[in-house]
Amino acid sequence: MNDADDPEDLPSLWSHEPHAHLMFRPGDRVADIDPDATPGFRGDKSDAPTLQEERNVRFAELQEMLYANSRAGDHRSVLLVLQGMDTAGKGGIVKHVVGGANPQGIDYKSFGKPTPEELSHHYLWRIRKALPAAGHIGVFDRSHYEDVLIVRVHNLVPRDVWEPRYDEINAFERELVDGGTAIVKVAMFVSLDEQKRRLASRLERPDKYWKYNPGDIDERQKWPQYQQAYQAMLDRTSTEHAPWHIIPCDKKWYSRLAVTELLIETLKRLNMSWPPPDFDVEAEKKRLESV
Ligand code: AMP
Ligand code: MG
């Protein structure tokens, strides 16, 4: 058993390893996703605060182990890819899940509308620049998948330009995985009703105006087209080396717990231990005593 293993590590409130419930399977339909569901979780909202706190601690410990190993020459890293419509809760994952870890080892990057400079390059140019360093956890708040989502829905480039991107993205991710980056892809789904409530609350609260963008309503009206684009993304880029996970997001407490477990599972699969000392511990203790 290595240090990253802990027989009591699977919280009893989950009925199986969470990824087994959440992984996209060929044939899964976006139209059938219930954003209010809590797949695999046997508890309820009242269990969430304590469990989230416990699991954040576990996540932070594994993240520190990844970081520590990189100091000892391990080049591996993790990349969390968050995709979802506005209000799905990407920011909440960043704040309440990833935020529990040491910022020293987190490489966060959000991807908005490309700048003129970014547009003058290949769409993966800005993505490559933001990849996590060895021992780090990269977090993409939106990602290269925008280039087959909003770009497809709004015809920002012709079909013969976006169409080959699915295969190109698969090859790109293969390259990352072969280079030692474990990729956790999370597609976050919020229902139209819940999205409406969340947008309405942004309009009610001066402290939330900054999150509101009038364009969100335009995207909302294009939900059928987005549904189609999300379906194509899942069908064509959920690979063995980088599978998609479907996260129901109407219950924020559930989506946060679920993504935390996906990260913990991924880190555990790296089979890490604390790096051994590259000095003589006893000799150092004696030296320290004498000064
Ligand atoms: P937000 O995440 O709320 O700050 O919004 C960022 C916006 O930038 C979203 O509407 C995205 O769809 C958009 N965006 C991100 N990447 C691209 C891209 N490659 N091309 C066009 N729009 C993009
Ligand atoms: Mg937004």
Side-chain angles (χ1 to χ4, degrees), residues 131-150:
L131 291 170
H136 288 223
I137 297 182
V139 181
F140 281 2
D141 182 342
R142 305 187 186 269
S143 66
H144 41 299
Y145 286 101
E146 293 291 326
D147 293 284
V148 290
L149 291 168
I150 189 167

Side-chain angles (χ1 to χ4, degrees), residues 75-86:
H75 63 276
R76 290 179 298 176
S77 60
V78 171
L79 176 61
L80 174 66
V81 174
L82 301 172
Q83 273 300 151
M85 298 291 284
D86 278 292

Side-chain angles (χ1 to χ4, degrees), residues 77-114:
S77 60
V78 171
L79 176 61
L80 174 66
V81 174
L82 301 172
Q83 273 300 151
M85 298 291 284
D86 278 292
T87 77
K90 300 185 290 295
I93 299 289
V94 173
K95 186 169 167 182
H96 299 283
V97 177
V98 184
N102 187 339
Q104 199 177 25
I106 302 292
D107 295 338
Y108 168 80
K109 178 74 181 166
S110 75
F111 293 98
K113 198 168 171 284

